[in-house]
Amino acid sequence: MKHSWWQEAVVYQIYPRSFMDSNNDGIGDLPGIICRLDYLKELGIDVIWMSPIYQSPNDDNGYDISNYQAIMEEFGTMEDFEHLLEAAHARGIRIVMDLVVNHTSDEHAWFVESRRGGECNPYGDYYIWRDPKEDGSAPNNWGSCFGGSAWEYDEGRKQYYLHLFSKKQPDLNWENPRVRDAVFNMMTWWCEKGIDGFRMDVISMISKTEEMPDGKIQGFYGDFGPYCIHGPKVHDYLQEMNERVLSRYDLMTVGETPGVTPEEACRYAGNHAHELNMVFQFEHVDVPGKYGKWNDEKMPLTVLKKILSRWQTELYGRAWNSLFWDNHDQPRAVSRFGNDKPQYRTKSAKMLATCLHMLQGTPYIYQGEELGMTNYPFESPADFRDIESIHAYKEWCESGKVPHEAFWPCITAVSRDNARTPMQWDDTKNAGFTLGKPWIFVNPNYREINAKAQLVDPDSVFHYYQKLISLRKQHPVIVYGGYQLLLPESEEIFAYIRELEGEMLLVVCSFVEQEMEFTVPEEFAGAQCLITNCGLQQDFNTAGAVRLGAYEAFVLHKKL
Ligand code: TEU
Ligand code: CA
């Protein structure tokens, strides 16, 4: 297979609203990102993926777009964007845009027009409109991802429109060739500006079945999944997008594809698929419990390893993995998979980084992960800013269905707001994010956890990430090597071997507090330690048994 730049890259995700505020209105912005580019350059990342920066009424923080070719006012201007692109490119950093085209905002001109209806309205069929049932109720029982019905009645048209997310996010009708033209033209416009790729929001949901029967009840509503995820024409649409836009530029494309299996991933992003470069799968972060996704249970390590190992082996040589522990929709990695108690936070954050960055695929770092930022200590539902958490609390608790005491630990464990508290730059007011009033609470632990302190500490989580990134640039086995899991039955240790043309890596990570023992396989006798989270490079007597302290991780390297 031909090697591409995006296979060797490390991506850093920015959630612009929470990254850096340059004008003290409490909201992160593009000039703020520009002034932190040198920080990212020092970290060593190659690509920035920015969550949406387009004009939006912010019902879902920019994932509801009212104009694809304008910048959100709070974030700055198109000139600011051009400046950012130029400044990033000058540092050798590429910019990947978030592409949200399953739906628009209900304030997008297309929807405003569509809503007016009428026989000859060119926008009439831009969205998914259905007549009410005879009794006036919604066309079917589907629930939306953010609670409530997936259908909203429009008085003007006397019809319902489909919204798989909030009612301010109507789904586009991809069946309509004019919708596809409009989307592809818009994408081309951004490509001509010089952007380097797209992360495609819920791209697995753009094709819906023609028949829309009731779904199986899940929680309070019917599940739209079988009719809207990996729908009948999704691959036709993506092949058309590839032919008309993507193949004409040198881009990196990653599809956000909830519900994807390795088989399906090869259809979206197989080496010969002519659709996307890679997809995000969610199996390792989906742990449904008794309240749907609201769950504070940890996935057993054996299950986590099984899932990640299946993706490693099944895509090998066929498609490309994307690697992540967290993003703007997930809790903080160290709180979820590691241990965020002060005595273990740094150690376990480094362990998780080791485990992920030595896997095969393109790693994604979510802002603040490189500092070991943690979940937020929510005190009350009034702390929530996220539409999903606010609705979920209403639907499950305020409705009286589940007592607060039972639901609270579950919603706080996985609320998307955990990831959205401001980036912690230093120990001054509001963590150096803003001098104004931040739009969302700052995590009170910013005095201990912040970039400024970590930049001067050679032993910090930041410098550990920096080292992992530089190792990837030196050792092709990290990028291209095969994968073999060791100790599949262990609930404590995640260990695996990578191998490429006589070069071998042994990666050993302890996911527990208690001390463990690990036996280094024979073939690693005399190997060299590439990186470890136990202080300065310790000398490994690599024959036989080694002791693993709490959350210890190390990587051995050997050339045959
Ligand atoms: O997320 C889609 C998605 O499937 C979920 O991760 C979602 O955030 C939610 O947790 C469902 O329970 C994408 C974006 O990443 C997310 O921020 C947007 O809110 C969503 O699409 C709608 O655009
Ligand atoms: Ca601002």
Side-chain angles (χ1 to χ4, degrees):
M1 191 196 168
K2 203 173 113 261
H3 294 174
S4 307
W5 60 265
W6 45 265
Q7 295 178 309
E8 296 174 6
V10 175
V11 184
Y12 188 91
Q13 184 193 350
I14 289 182
Y15 195 68
R17 203 173 188 78
S18 306
F19 192 62
M20 182 66 208
D21 177 18
S22 72
N23 61 351
N24 297 317
D25 65 352
I27 298 173
D29 46 51
L30 299 183
I33 297 176
I34 295 171
C35 79
R36 296 299 184 177
L37 284 174
D38 285 329
Y39 166 84
L40 298 177
K41 181 70 196 160
E42 179 156 4
L43 181 58
I45 54 98
D46 308 282
V47 178
I48 292 171
W49 148 33
M50 278 189 297
S51 280
I53 57 167
Y54 318 95
Q55 186 182 301
S56 164
N58 283 308
D59 190 50
D60 185 19
N61 288 354
Y63 283 91
D64 49 320
I65 298 168
S66 52
N67 185 344
Y68 289 104
Q69 283 158 258
I71 302 295
M72 192 191 299
E73 247 170 71
E74 291 106 306
F75 288 176
T77 62
M78 195 55 80
E79 286 68 49
D80 291 329
F81 174 78
E82 282 155 9
H83 182 190
L84 167 59
L85 192 60
E86 205 180 303
H89 285 171
R91 288 165 177 80
I93 296 175
R94 302 194 210 225
I95 299 282
V96 163
M97 304 291 281
D98 217 310
L99 181 78
V100 188
V101 289
N102 174 68
H103 44 267
T104 68
S105 162
D106 65 338
E107 296 181 35
H108 194 293
W110 299 342
F111 190 76
V112 174
E113 274 305 307
S114 192
R115 205 162 214 176
R116 288 152 43 114
E119 285 291 294
C120 331
N121 184 337
Y123 295 94
D125 207 16
Y126 258 50
Y127 295 83
I128 301 174
W129 293 97
R130 291 286 184 278
D131 290 328
K133 281 193 187 156
E134 253 164 41
D135 65 357
S137 64
N140 65 33
N141 70 356
W142 296 353
S144 93
C145 293
F146 295 153
S149 165
W151 296 96
E152 182 71 10
Y153 186 66
D154 183 83
E155 282 298 337
R157 268 184 79 143
K158 306 246 174 291
Q159 282 187 310
Y160 283 87
Y161 65 85
L162 180 69
H163 59 91
L164 299 183
F165 293 88
S166 99
K167 64 179 178 206
K168 286 184 67 62
Q169 293 169 298
D171 281 52
L172 280 165
N173 176 20
W174 276 71
E175 287 276 337
N176 183 345
R178 278 203 284 225
V179 166
R180 301 202 297 277
D181 287 346
V183 168
F184 299 155
N185 289 341
M186 173 274 284
M187 291 173 72
T188 302
W189 186 87
W190 281 103
C191 291
E192 288 296 321
K193 269 200 177 294
I195 61 146
D196 304 292
F198 295 105
R199 172 271 186 189
M200 302 186 188
D201 195 64
V202 287
I203 203 70
S204 54
M205 303 191 190
I206 58 176
S207 167
K208 280 83 175 171
T209 52
E210 214 167 288
E211 292 291 306
M212 295 188 162
D214 279 353
K216 223 177 96 208
I217 296 293
Q218 225 181 39
F220 311 114
Y221 288 87
D223 176 19
F224 63 67
Y227 317 100
C228 301
I229 301 183
H230 317 310
K233 295 197 184 150
V234 66
H235 296 293
D236 295 341
Y237 297 153
L238 287 176
Q239 280 159 31
E240 185 183 344
M241 180 195 282
N242 185 290
E243 199 216 305
R244 292 176 59 186
V245 187
L246 307 178
S247 60
R248 294 167 196 250
Y249 300 89
D250 179 23
L251 302 175
M252 177 191 124
T253 54
V254 50
E256 192 211 21
T257 50
V260 77
T261 59
E263 255 339 288
E264 193 65 44
C266 290
R267 261 168 243 142
Y268 284 109
N271 298 344
H272 310 290
H274 300 291
E275 294 185 22
L276 306 174
N277 295 149
M278 55 187 141
V279 296
F280 287 125
Q281 62 83 19
F282 292 92
E283 291 184 334
H284 68 304
V285 290
D286 281 341
V287 197
K290 39 180 198 260
Y291 316 129
K293 78 168 260 187
W294 310 106
N295 189 359
D296 62 352
E297 282 161 53
K298 254 196 174 169
M299 183 180 274
L301 186 64
T302 46
V303 177
L304 181 72
K305 292 193 292 189
K306 200 168 165 190
I307 292 170
L308 291 176
S309 300
R310 201 176 68 239
W311 282 90
Q312 290 286 296
T313 23
E314 291 193 17
L315 295 200
Y316 195 69
R318 300 170 69 200
W320 197 254
N321 275 294
S322 56
L323 309 169
F324 70 97
W325 285 133
D326 54 9
N327 61 37
H328 66 293
D329 294 332
Q330 301 290 334
R332 289 281 174 183
V334 69
S335 301
R336 181 186 230 178
F337 296 103
N339 186 330
D340 62 9
K341 289 197 201 100
Q343 68 270 38
Y344 295 126
R345 184 179 47 74
T346 300
K347 195 93 180 283
S348 66
K350 292 176 182 173
M351 180 279 288
L352 291 170
T354 316
C355 187
L356 194 83
H357 282 246
M358 291 295 138
L359 288 173
Q360 197 281 322
T362 297
Y364 290 73
I365 301 169
Y366 178 67
Q367 68 182 40
E369 181 190 326
E370 79 282 14
L371 305 174
M373 276 177 61
T374 66
N375 275 358
Y376 181 77
F378 296 99
E379 275 167 9
S380 92
D383 291 349
F384 292 136
R385 295 289 175 274
D386 171 28
I387 179 172
E388 187 189 37
S389 302
I390 293 170
H391 280 196
Y393 189 80
K394 281 193 189 136
E395 203 163 82
W396 292 87
C397 270
E398 278 172 20
S399 64
K401 288 179 189 103
V402 180
H404 172 89
E405 298 67 41
F407 196 63
W408 191 244
C410 296
I411 193 166
T412 54
V414 290
S415 168
R416 307 197 296 181
D417 279 335
N418 283 303
R420 300 177 180 186
T421 62
M423 178 72 178
Q424 291 163 207
W425 294 107
D426 57 38
D427 62 1
T428 63
K429 189 182 162 201
N430 298 325
F433 164 72
T434 183
L435 293 175
K437 186 173 182 297
W439 71 277
I440 187 172
F441 295 100
V442 177
N443 195 312
N445 64 19
Y446 72 90
R447 287 185 195 82
E448 293 80 55
I449 307 174
N450 64 69
K452 190 172 174 218
Q454 297 204 14
L455 282 168
V456 296
D457 172 8
D459 216 19
S460 63
V461 181
F462 177 91
H463 283 114
Y464 195 88
Y465 269 85
Q466 187 186 51
K467 182 158 184 199
L468 285 170
I469 296 168
S470 81
L471 285 173
R472 173 168 288 263
K473 312 283 175 211
Q474 297 159 39
H475 301 282
V477 60
I478 300 176
V479 181
Y480 297 109
Y483 168 93
Q484 191 203 331
L485 180 70
L486 304 176
L487 307 178
E489 307 302 328
S490 168
E491 287 296 356
E492 297 88 15
I493 299 172
F494 194 157
Y496 56 88
I497 292 178
R498 303 286 313 279
E499 188 165 8
L500 183 76
E501 294 157 7
E503 213 180 339
M504 293 195 311
L505 290 179
L506 172 69
V507 182
V508 180
C509 299
S510 167
F511 275 67
V512 292
E513 271 179 57
Q514 72 264 30
E515 198 171 280
M516 299 294 300
E517 196 171 89
F518 177 82
T519 308
V520 175
E522 280 294 316
E523 62 260 46
F524 282 90
Q528 179 209 350
C529 179
L530 276 192
I531 189 167
T532 168
N533 64 353
C534 330
L536 296 172
Q537 210 82 327
Q538 105 179 24
D539 234 7
F540 277 87
N541 176 7
T542 56
V546 289
R547 281 189 179 292
L548 289 179
Y551 302 103
E552 186 169 330
F554 65 84
V555 181
L556 301 185
H557 177 248
K558 186 150 179 200
K559 258 198 163 125
L560 295 183

